[in-house]
Amino acid sequence: MVNRRSMLKLVAAGGVAGGLGLAGAGSALAGARRPRSSAANTGDILALVEKGSHQLSFFDTTSGERQTTIGLPDYPHEMVSDRRKRYAFIGHYGVRMSGDEGQGGNSVLVVDLERRRLVRTISTGSHNRIHGLAVDRHDRLFVLSEGTNTLLVFNDPLTDTSPSAVLPTGGRKTHMVAVTRDGERAYATGLESNSVSVVRPWTASVEPRVVGAGALPEGCSLSEDERTLYVGARRTPAVLEFDTASMRLRRSFPIDGDPLRVYAIRKNRLLVTDIQNNQVHLYTRDFQHIASITMRGIPASAILHPDEDIALIPQFETSTVSTIDLTTHTVVSEFDCGTEPDGSVLLVGGTHH
């Protein structure tokens, strides 16, 4: 594993995935593992992409036991699942960090989550460096090609051999995507264009709309009512709030750190992973600070539990996954995983295989 200074240089180049440092903030586990609180004893399974280890692994989140590992092509990155969580779709990015040179991968890997095996590979042809992924309520798969700045749509990713639609995003180095539940609008952040694009996949006459989104915008998330889009502008650094109807920037909230990912979560809160200060921040939707939870490693992303007020945080540098209680603002458990954990799907109650 690279040391922290080297990792942060890569992160600053736009590669991985603001700290307030207030007194009373939760801190990471020190030394031995702490048993999980009863509120988090769910018997869930985490399907986790370990991109540095080039594999997908299944972990029991209560015991931390690695149950199954599937080998994948070098440097898989993001992952999503269908609505039933029967199948997962993994983007083959093909290079370690977004700042790295190279063509990267040009496929989507399809995993049967019940049988725990790779069941097919969808070629994306000339569209390379596959990264941001999303699924709508119709189980259509939306795939971003960072190399060609296009959005690919697969109406049936279990059978399609080519995309049903190929759409320009209007941005450069488009990296992450958020899609409305009906699939009518897709929002893509552009690392090099410093923009967020709105793409209308099923309205061919409408060109993508591109607006400025600070410096190095990456993570993005829609509010539950889909009227607001939150974007983490990493080098501004700030969390930006856009009105999705007009794409007008409502507010820019400064973050003293590096807001790699931003999530609109339950109870009208925002969760921000800050990879400069190794913290997970919680705010109200009015950007009032709630808490900052310090992690041992670099918090690459967050997996929100659908029923419990907890989040699982994969961490670079330490190769661990920590569970944080979003009510008490503490780290309640931790387990080891492969190197550079990234995309993931949480299977509540586990699966039969």
Side-chain angles (χ1 to χ4, degrees), residues 235-314:
R235 287 186 184 158
T236 300
V239 173
L240 312 181
E241 179 189 279
F242 290 91
D243 177 274
T244 54
S246 65
M247 287 311 293
R248 177 180 62 86
L249 177 64
R250 292 191 192 127
R251 288 182 288 186
S252 176
F253 180 71
I255 300 290
D256 183 17
D258 185 338
L260 179 71
R261 297 283 184 265
V262 56
Y263 303 89
I265 67 172
R266 290 179 302 173
K267 301 180 181 178
N268 289 315
R269 294 169 297 176
L270 293 173
L271 185 152
V272 178
T273 62
D274 171 4
I275 61 175
Q276 177 175 306
N277 297 305
N278 284 11
Q279 291 184 316
V280 174
H281 305 299
L282 289 172
Y283 301 96
T284 68
R285 299 290 175 88
D286 293 326
F287 295 112
Q288 299 299 308
H289 179 256
I290 300 171
S292 294
I293 306 165
T294 300
M295 315 303 296
R296 288 200 303 118
I298 297 171
S301 60
I303 305 99
L304 286 306
H305 197 285
D307 304 318
E308 304 286 344
D309 201 26
I310 60 175
L312 283 77
I313 310 294

Side-chain angles (χ1 to χ4, degrees), residues 178-180 187 220-224 226-230 244 264:
V179 175
T180 56
Y187 302 87
C220 55
S221 178
L222 285 164
S223 61
E224 295 93 329
E226 300 183 341
R227 295 178 179 177
T228 303
L229 178 73
Y230 298 96
T244 54

Side-chain angles (χ1 to χ4, degrees), residues 163-183:
S164 308
V166 178
L167 306 142
T169 63
R172 296 193 311 276
K173 207 169 189 180
T174 42
H175 196 66
M176 297 296 290
V177 65
V179 175
T180 56
R181 285 183 289 273
D182 61 9

Side-chain angles (χ1 to χ4, degrees), residues 77-246:
H77 277 219
E78 297 296 311
M79 176 169 70
V80 295
S81 73
D82 62 9
R83 290 173 301 159
R84 295 184 302 135
K85 295 194 176 181
R86 174 63 197 274
Y87 294 96
F89 309 102
I90 303 170
H92 183 206
Y93 192 59
V95 294
R96 182 165 175 264
M97 301 289 183
S98 67
D100 292 354
E101 299 293 331
Q103 283 292 107
N106 60 341
S107 63
V108 176
L109 311 169
V110 183
V111 172
D112 185 322
L113 293 172
E114 185 175 301
R115 297 181 180 180
R116 299 187 185 181
R117 64 181 62 172
L118 180 65
V119 292
R120 72 185 305 243
T121 299
I122 310 171
S123 172
T124 55
S126 61
H127 303 288
N128 61 317
R129 295 173 76 110
I130 302 302
H131 200 263
L133 304 167
V135 172
D136 69 7
R137 68 186 180 203
H138 308 291
D139 279 338
R140 295 178 296 201
L141 177 66
F142 298 76
V143 176
L144 266 185
S145 164
E146 185 188 270
T148 60
N149 302 310
T150 52
L151 179 70
L152 314 178
V153 185
F154 296 88
N155 282 345
D156 186 351
L158 299 181
T159 60
D160 288 349
T161 56
S162 60
S164 308
V166 178
L167 306 142
T169 63
R172 296 193 311 276
K173 207 169 189 180
T174 42
H175 196 66
M176 297 296 290
V177 65
V179 175
T180 56
R181 285 183 289 273
D182 61 9
E184 291 297 319
R185 288 169 291 149
Y187 302 87
T189 53
L191 296 176
E192 288 186 352
S193 52
N194 293 324
S195 64
V196 60
S197 308
V198 186
V199 181
R200 300 291 298 271
W202 316 114
T203 311
S205 61
V206 178
E207 294 292 321
R209 183 174 182 183
V210 184
V211 299
L216 199 69
E218 185 167 340
C220 55
S221 178
L222 285 164
S223 61
E224 295 93 329
D225 62 8
E226 300 183 341
R227 295 178 179 177
T228 303
L229 178 73
Y230 298 96
V231 175
R234 296 179 51 197
R235 287 186 184 158
T236 300
V239 173
L240 312 181
E241 179 189 279
F242 290 91
D243 177 274
T244 54
S246 65

